[in-house]
Amino acid sequence: MLKCRRVAPWFVIFALLSVRPVMAVEATVQVQGASEDLGEFLSRSSLSVETAESEDATAQDILAAARADYARMVGALYDAGYYGGVVSIRVDGREAADISPIAGPSRVNRVVVIVQPGSPFTFSRAAIGPVAPETELPEGYARGQRAGAGVIRRAAEAGVTGWREAGHAKVELDGQSITADHRNSTLASEIRLSPGPRLRFGDLIITRPSAVRASRIQAIAGLPSGKVFSPEELEDASQRLRRTGAFRSVVLNEAEVPNPDGTLDIQAEVLDAKPRRIGFGAEIASLEGLTLSGFWLHRNLLGGAERLRIEGEVGGIGGDSGGIDYRLSARFERPATFTPDTTAFLEARAEELDEEEYRQRTFEIGGGVSHIFSDELEGEIGISYQYADIDDDLGSRTNELLLLPAKLTFDNRDDPLDATEGFYVGLEATPFLALDAGDPAFRLYADARTYVGFGEEDTIVLAGRTQIGSVSGASLLDVPPDMLFFSGGSNTVRGQPYQSLGVDLGGGNTSGGRSFLAFSGEVRARVADAWQVVGFADTGYVGRDSFGSGTGDWHSGAGFGIRYDTGIGPVRFDVATPLDGDAGQDYEFYIGIGQAF
């Protein structure tokens, strides 16, 4: 039996009042007697068009946008080189300027922006001076070229930039004369600059208290006091301070007045970041199981922006790739050691790896220096001692090694977590010596990645990766298993079980190889604002000996995946199958943050 309940009239009234009608507003820009490009430019500049596309826009919002569009359209016409244009904006047939902003309509259906641009103007004169040597002025700032207001602004900015790069930090715009000849549709422009004296860097003055000592802030910034002023050097000093992570905000301002000796002091306003930070991570794969990680970081351990980072990781939880792996490491870094771009470090690592093919307990301690050569290139070199206790198919043994690891990284990708263009190349070269009278040996590993985007906003991205490795000068017995090469898993060949490809020693025994090669390719297609679908194929090779001799085996895998962009990086889910006898029968899945490479 269906029972009905009486609803109070006040509830009905409240429900009706709470329903807000969706207001669909049509807003267009009509340009009379001009090119299609100008029409598109004006449409993109229209606040009426932008506001009408908003679902929450009210009639008052639309009217305010229409009234503001008079100035916006005139400014856009000036930027395009039209100085005699006429703008009319009709709101449901009425001129927007004639509608009272107080007693406006309760509903708006249509807004039409009508623009009569007139004739385009060209430069009859385009002068600027004086200009510093090697100043690059816009090509469009010349007699006979389209006289857009934007070109004039860029010319003035280029003139100021040129003098600043030549050391004239206090250059000023001394005057500007613009005369429009409407009869001939020409514009005469003259920009006058006052360079001021050539200055040198003075002192870096700390303007607010900081937990980082002032002497260390000055050392880290590396401001070249006494050298000719340079905007690039000033920006480099800001970047060095930001890279430490000790500051939440860094602002370097030039002093208002130069010193009598021709130097210019720089005022540093820094805001300290919270000194301590903790973080956690998780990754899961069908064979390797769950990996949990975490870290504790101190950004200013001794008052000089020194960093201490302690990390822990537990892997292989619930997996079928051996037992559980443990790792605990610590790294201490001191910035601005030897040079402002050089960081000294000390590090230690204790690790136990329980893999299907071997079990290794390792302790390593060492130190070194890292150096930033540019925004795209950095390197690191060090020395360390490593002790390893090993059980594998080659037997039980211990290794004591002296290592000289060196790294060089070039990275110009637009986004390391979701790259659409650029290159990444990482090189690792590690000479090492077995302390129990072994011969000197050498380990090399290289990782190269490239990305190419196609379509508007890089709808399609092709990504490729090549990995190569080699160990020479040492036998398999003299090299710890984690320095040898295996293939299979999320970082090499997806679809193949983790570290499933190594060197067959016979009798069912397996070891890592002394040579390694892997290729990976992906096609990433964006199907919605936050969603991507990905198809990929990987192949890998592991050989017994270094490249140039011996034999090895290949294996391959392929699959597809989806990505969801979280704003800080995509969440990745991949499913892959081997490309061999088990193709389409066995599957591996992978979940993580960021693209696979």
Side-chain angles (χ1 to χ4, degrees):
M1 180 177 179
L2 182 63
K3 294 183 178 181
C4 297
R5 176 178 293 179
R6 184 177 179 182
V7 180
W10 63 264
F11 180 82
V12 176
I13 295 172
F14 174 79
L16 291 174
L17 291 176
S18 65
V19 177
R20 181 178 178 179
V22 177
M23 183 177 66
V25 181
E26 179 186 359
T28 59
V29 177
Q30 298 178 2
V31 183
Q32 300 176 356
S35 66
E36 182 178 344
D37 290 342
L38 178 61
E40 292 179 357
F41 173 66
L42 293 176
S43 292
R44 291 195 303 270
S45 304
S46 172
L47 187 60
S48 298
V49 173
E50 179 182 337
T51 305
E53 293 174 351
S54 174
E55 295 181 357
D56 298 328
T58 65
Q60 286 296 103
D61 296 332
I62 298 296
L63 181 59
R67 295 174 66 89
D69 257 349
Y70 288 105
R72 288 175 70 97
M73 290 296 100
V74 170
L77 286 171
Y78 283 5
D79 281 343
Y82 293 84
Y83 295 89
V86 177
V87 178
S88 173
I89 302 176
R90 299 281 180 173
V91 178
D92 288 337
R94 298 170 60 191
E95 191 69 33
D98 297 335
I99 300 175
S100 171
I102 299 176
S106 60
R107 180 178 180 85
V108 174
N109 296 309
R110 190 164 186 252
V111 178
V112 181
V113 181
I114 304 170
V115 180
Q116 300 176 13
S119 301
F121 280 55
T122 57
F123 285 114
S124 61
R125 175 176 167 79
I128 181 172
V131 294
E134 301 182 4
T135 298
E136 295 185 6
L137 296 173
E139 293 183 1
Y141 192 68
R143 183 172 180 177
Q145 296 293 321
R146 179 70 64 85
V151 175
I152 300 174
R153 286 195 300 268
R154 290 193 296 273
E157 292 169 356
V160 170
T161 300
W163 280 117
R164 284 178 58 82
E165 291 177 348
H168 298 256
K170 295 303 180 181
V171 57
E172 295 180 347
L173 186 63
D174 193 39
Q176 186 173 349
S177 174
I178 299 176
T179 304
D181 183 348
H182 288 268
R183 180 178 298 178
N184 297 309
S185 298
T186 59
L187 195 76
S189 171
E190 181 180 359
I191 301 170
R192 296 180 296 277
L193 301 173
S194 176
R198 195 180 194 210
L199 301 173
R200 292 172 287 112
F201 279 114
D203 296 328
L204 185 68
I205 300 173
I206 315 303
T207 60
R208 65 183 301 165
S210 170
V212 181
R213 297 188 300 275
S215 60
R216 289 296 295 152
I217 294 176
Q218 293 164 343
I220 294 168
L223 193 74
S225 298
K227 290 188 176 182
V228 174
F229 173 87
S230 166
E232 184 177 354
E233 292 279 6
L234 190 61
E235 177 59 27
D236 288 345
S238 297
Q239 289 291 351
R240 293 186 190 108
L241 290 169
R242 294 188 186 103
R243 276 199 302 259
T244 65
F247 307 108
R248 189 170 64 186
S249 171
V250 175
V251 178
L252 299 186
N253 294 314
E254 303 159 21
E256 291 291 334
V257 180
N259 299 318
D261 61 355
T263 60
L264 182 66
D265 292 336
I266 303 299
Q267 299 171 343
E269 183 176 346
V270 297
L271 183 63
D272 291 346
K274 292 183 179 180
R276 297 170 187 83
R277 181 184 177 191
I278 60 173
F280 303 94
E283 187 168 348
I284 188 170
S286 56
L287 187 66
E288 297 99 306
L290 177 66
T291 299
L292 300 176
S293 60
F295 71 87
W296 177 88
L297 172 68
H298 199 300
R299 295 184 171 105
N300 187 30
L301 187 67
L302 304 177
E306 300 89 355
R307 293 165 62 94
L308 175 62
R309 183 183 177 104
I310 299 175
E311 296 185 65
E313 182 177 288
V314 180
I317 303 172
D320 295 325
S321 59
I324 296 180
D325 302 329
Y326 302 92
R327 176 187 174 95
L328 179 65
S329 64
R331 182 176 172 110
F332 171 83
E333 295 181 344
R334 181 183 187 270
T337 302
F338 307 125
T339 77
D341 291 312
T342 304
T343 297
F345 65 87
L346 298 172
E347 59 185 357
R349 169 176 65 98
E351 184 175 39
E352 179 175 350
L353 299 177
D354 190 357
E355 308 293 346
E356 282 193 341
E357 308 301 337
Y358 66 89
R359 185 170 185 175
Q360 177 178 329
R361 303 171 187 86
T362 305
F363 174 75
E364 183 175 349
I365 187 169
V369 295
S370 61
H371 186 82
I372 296 177
F373 299 96
S374 68
D375 291 340
E376 299 173 342
L377 182 65
E378 59 183 86
E380 180 177 299
I381 189 169
I383 183 171
S384 64
Y385 163 81
Q386 182 186 104
Y387 174 86
D389 183 15
I390 303 162
D391 292 298
D392 61 9
D393 289 343
L394 293 170
S396 298
R397 63 195 185 279
T398 60
N399 284 135
E400 291 187 76
L401 302 178
L402 182 66
L403 303 102
L404 299 172
K407 300 178 183 178
L408 193 65
T409 303
F410 176 85
D411 188 355
N412 68 353
R413 294 174 293 178
D414 56 342
D415 182 351
L417 289 178
D418 191 11
T420 60
E421 62 180 7
F423 300 91
Y424 170 91
V425 179
L427 299 175
E428 299 179 13
T430 308
F432 62 95
L433 176 67
L435 296 182
D436 54 352
D439 295 327
F442 189 83
R443 184 183 190 272
L444 175 69
Y445 173 75
D447 182 356
R449 312 173 192 181
T450 184
Y451 309 85
V452 180
F454 299 91
E456 292 186 8
E457 299 182 353
D458 297 316
T459 306
I460 303 293
V461 176
L462 302 183
R465 182 183 190 186
T466 299
Q467 300 177 76
I468 186 171
S470 177
V471 176
S472 60
S475 67
L476 294 176
L477 282 170
D478 294 327
V479 184
D482 66 339
M483 292 181 65
L484 296 172
F485 299 102
F486 293 87
S487 183
S490 61
N491 196 45
T492 53
V493 178
R494 288 163 288 183
Q496 295 287 351
Y498 175 66
Q499 294 192 350
S500 57
L501 181 61
V503 172
D504 186 359
L505 301 175
N509 296 324
T510 304
S511 168
R514 293 197 298 153
S515 56
F516 168 66
L517 190 63
F519 301 99
S520 298
E522 288 193 351
V523 179
R524 306 169 184 168
R526 189 170 302 280
V527 295
D529 289 342
W531 291 94
Q532 281 183 327
V533 294
V534 177
F536 57 85
D538 307 327
T539 187
Y541 165 89
V542 175
R544 182 186 185 98
D545 297 321
S546 302
F547 285 110
S549 62
T551 59
D553 293 314
W554 291 85
H555 67 172
S556 302
F560 66 91
I562 58 175
R563 310 285 186 267
Y564 177 76
D565 188 1
T566 63
I568 60 174
V571 175
R572 177 179 79 254
F573 177 78
D574 288 337
V575 178
T577 184
L579 294 182
D580 52 27
D582 295 326
Q585 301 177 19
D586 292 339
Y587 293 93
E588 306 287 341
F589 70 87
Y590 311 90
I591 301 173
I593 300 293
Q595 298 285 0
F597 61 86

